[in-house]
Amino acid sequence: CHPVPKPERRMEVCDLSPCPPRWKVTPAGPCSSSCGLGLAVQLVTCVQIHQGKEISLEDHLCPVAEKPLTSVPCVIRMCSYEWSFSEWTECSTSCGNGIQTRQDFCLNPLTRQQVNPIFCRHFPKAIVVRGCSAGPCPERAVGTGSRGAELQTVTPATHPVTTAATKEVRHKDLHLPPSAEPQEQTRSSGGEEGTAQSWLLWMCFSSLCCTDVCGKLFLNASGVINMTGVECGDCTVAIGRPLGEEIRLSVLESSLNCTAGEVVLFSGRMMWRTGCRKLPLSLINSRTNTLIVKQRVLLPGNGVILQYSSRAATKKYYQDCDKQLFGPQGEIVNPVQLPDQVVCRTFINVAPRHRIAIRALYIDLGRENNQTHFNYILVRDMSTMKTMVFRGRQQFFWQSTGSQAEIEFHE
């Protein structure tokens, strides 16, 4: 080819535009649990290939809807858990009928250490409340010793005949207004003999001593919550709105020290999320009408500033017969069941610094079981997911360990 002129070597650029941004996932780290279900953290970053080199970009430049999870479930091996219990407390009364309680714990059988109660929720659990008797009370008035004059214990008993005298004794320690006392049920009207009726009194009582914004319940449609510079290392606030709404929350500012282990937790009835890094870019949707924010800080002055608003829920998450209660106290009368036999629920949410107490004042399931609206009441502590079931004509007293409770009236 020497006699022939050699053409010049040349290169043509096929595409000058850079590759679109994409998500890059590094291998997941170690599992957080040595047995059972745990979480493994994986690093997710936004990258782009530019002139043959990979460069890092801000997260908002990558498709948000396609971002992989930063935490993935993992199981090293299966392990079983079991319920353990403390000793029974003394009888709540010095004479007459009362109750005894005991604490329950979820234990890892290998380490014998307490774990989150959610690991034991599928295992049967013995009772934690039982009736007791401390013997007859002295100086009982002759002629007024009707069984209805005593508060029924948590053990099933036949419903006594209610008289004006017994009603006065039953409610004298509850400080109820006259309208709060259940009216005497007459048996002469045959049209209501089979109607199930119950009266529950609920109230909240203080549990935390921390002041500032911590422990408060916000009920406005929108607002700003400043959780910086608080006195408590663990600071919890709650946001509540009527049923049919959902809450949208964003972090305006964050001074959390992620390296030191500071973190913020967002939780609701249908969502749960934790975070520390890049919080100002986060948008939280509660999906229901309540949201709890718990902040854990180690260094004084650190914290987050939140902004929230509410709107109509995009999906219905409640039954038409459900009720939402936020006030410090009130009455609950069993709802009338709908024709399709749905379960009616009552949601109780109070300020995180408070706890909930529920006392059954009056329960009457009627004479014919097949005519009643319900035949047992279920009370659930949403903080520990512990459930108590009260059947028949049990009159009971129940206390929560957290600031959220649910009541269900079942057929």
Side-chain angles (χ1 to χ4, degrees):
C1 294
H2 289 289
V4 181
K6 184 179 181 178
E8 296 180 359
R9 179 179 297 179
R10 62 181 181 179
M11 298 178 60
E12 293 183 0
V13 179
C14 58
D15 190 355
L16 294 177
S17 60
C19 296
R22 63 180 180 85
W23 294 107
K24 179 182 178 182
V25 181
T26 60
C31 191
S32 61
S33 177
S34 60
C35 70
L37 181 63
L39 288 177
V41 179
Q42 57 186 11
L43 181 62
V44 179
T45 56
C46 181
V47 298
Q48 185 180 41
I49 303 298
H50 183 66
Q51 296 180 356
K53 296 182 179 180
E54 184 180 270
I55 59 174
S56 299
L57 302 177
E58 295 292 334
D59 285 359
H60 68 274
L61 297 177
C62 285
V64 177
E66 301 176 4
K67 183 177 181 180
L69 296 175
T70 58
S71 299
V72 293
C74 58
V75 177
I76 296 180
R77 61 184 176 86
M78 296 305 297
C79 59
S80 60
Y81 301 90
E82 61 185 27
W83 289 109
S84 180
F85 302 90
S86 66
E87 297 295 329
W88 289 103
T89 62
E90 298 290 337
C91 194
S92 61
T93 59
S94 58
C95 67
N97 294 330
I99 62 172
Q100 289 179 291
T101 62
R102 61 177 178 177
Q103 294 291 326
D104 51 67
F105 312 98
C106 183
L107 292 184
N108 184 325
L110 299 179
T111 62
R112 306 306 298 175
Q113 298 294 320
Q114 294 186 29
V115 296
N116 193 312
I118 197 171
F119 291 106
C120 289
R121 64 179 179 177
H122 297 301
F123 299 100
K125 181 175 64 172
I127 61 172
V128 294
V129 180
R130 69 180 182 185
C132 60
S133 177
C137 294
E139 300 179 1
R140 292 179 62 90
V142 178
T144 60
S146 171
R147 293 178 58 193
E150 301 175 0
L151 180 65
Q152 298 292 318
T153 67
V154 297
T155 54
T158 57
H159 186 68
V161 178
T162 305
T163 64
T166 61
K167 284 173 55 181
E168 179 181 358
V169 176
R170 180 184 299 171
H171 303 292
K172 68 178 182 179
D173 295 328
L174 299 179
H175 306 290
L176 297 176
S179 60
E181 297 183 9
Q183 300 300 315
E184 182 176 352
Q185 304 299 311
T186 60
R187 293 296 182 183
S188 59
S189 56
E192 297 184 359
E193 285 185 355
T195 302
Q197 299 179 356
S198 70
W199 292 72
L200 308 181
L201 172 72
W202 73 276
M203 64 193 71
C204 64
F205 54 93
S206 180
S207 174
L208 305 177
C209 58
C210 188
T211 56
D212 301 319
V213 71
C214 302
K216 290 187 176 180
L217 172 64
F218 296 85
L219 300 176
N220 295 330
S222 61
V224 175
I225 305 174
N226 187 351
M227 301 177 69
T228 61
V230 296
E231 299 177 359
C232 296
D234 289 342
C235 180
T236 305
V237 299
I239 305 171
R241 296 297 300 154
L243 288 174
E245 295 187 12
E246 63 183 15
I247 301 166
R248 293 168 59 87
L249 182 143
S250 60
V251 181
L252 299 180
E253 181 180 330
S254 173
S255 58
L256 297 180
N257 188 331
C258 304
T259 306
E262 296 182 341
V263 69
V264 61
L265 165 68
F266 307 93
S267 63
R269 289 199 296 270
M270 299 176 60
M271 60 85 62
W272 187 88
R273 180 176 176 182
T274 61
C276 180
R277 293 181 174 85
K278 301 180 181 179
L279 281 177
L281 300 177
S282 303
L283 179 63
I284 309 298
N285 189 338
S286 68
R287 299 171 61 189
T288 62
N289 63 313
T290 58
L291 181 66
I292 290 182
V293 182
K294 184 174 183 178
Q295 168 186 278
R296 173 166 293 180
V297 298
L298 301 175
L299 303 177
N302 290 357
V304 295
I305 300 179
L306 312 173
Q307 183 177 37
Y308 73 92
S309 61
S310 59
R311 66 177 186 180
T314 55
K315 293 183 179 180
K316 188 175 180 180
Y317 53 84
Y318 62 96
Q319 302 289 346
D320 291 334
C321 60
D322 290 347
K323 293 183 179 181
Q324 174 70 65
L325 303 176
F326 289 113
Q329 63 181 9
E331 305 167 25
I332 304 170
V333 180
N334 64 288
V336 177
Q337 297 284 31
L338 299 181
D340 55 357
Q341 304 297 313
V342 300
V343 175
C344 296
R345 299 169 297 177
T346 298
F347 306 106
I348 302 178
N349 293 71
V350 299
R353 65 168 56 131
H354 293 154
R355 298 295 177 260
I356 302 168
I358 300 176
R359 172 171 289 175
L361 300 182
Y362 180 83
I363 297 179
D364 182 11
L365 300 185
R367 295 181 180 178
E368 300 293 337
N369 288 337
N370 58 0
Q371 296 178 356
T372 62
H373 290 168
F374 67 94
N375 55 29
Y376 69 91
I377 301 173
L378 182 149
V379 182
R380 180 180 296 112
D381 191 330
M382 300 306 296
S383 297
T384 59
M385 296 303 295
K386 297 177 183 177
T387 300
M388 294 290 294
V389 178
F390 302 96
R391 302 178 182 274
R393 294 184 174 89
Q394 288 180 265
Q395 294 188 359
F396 58 87
F397 180 77
W398 178 91
Q399 290 183 350
S400 69
T401 59
S403 59
Q404 302 177 87
E406 289 185 9
I407 303 174
E408 296 180 1
F409 298 87
H410 283 261
E411 298 242 353

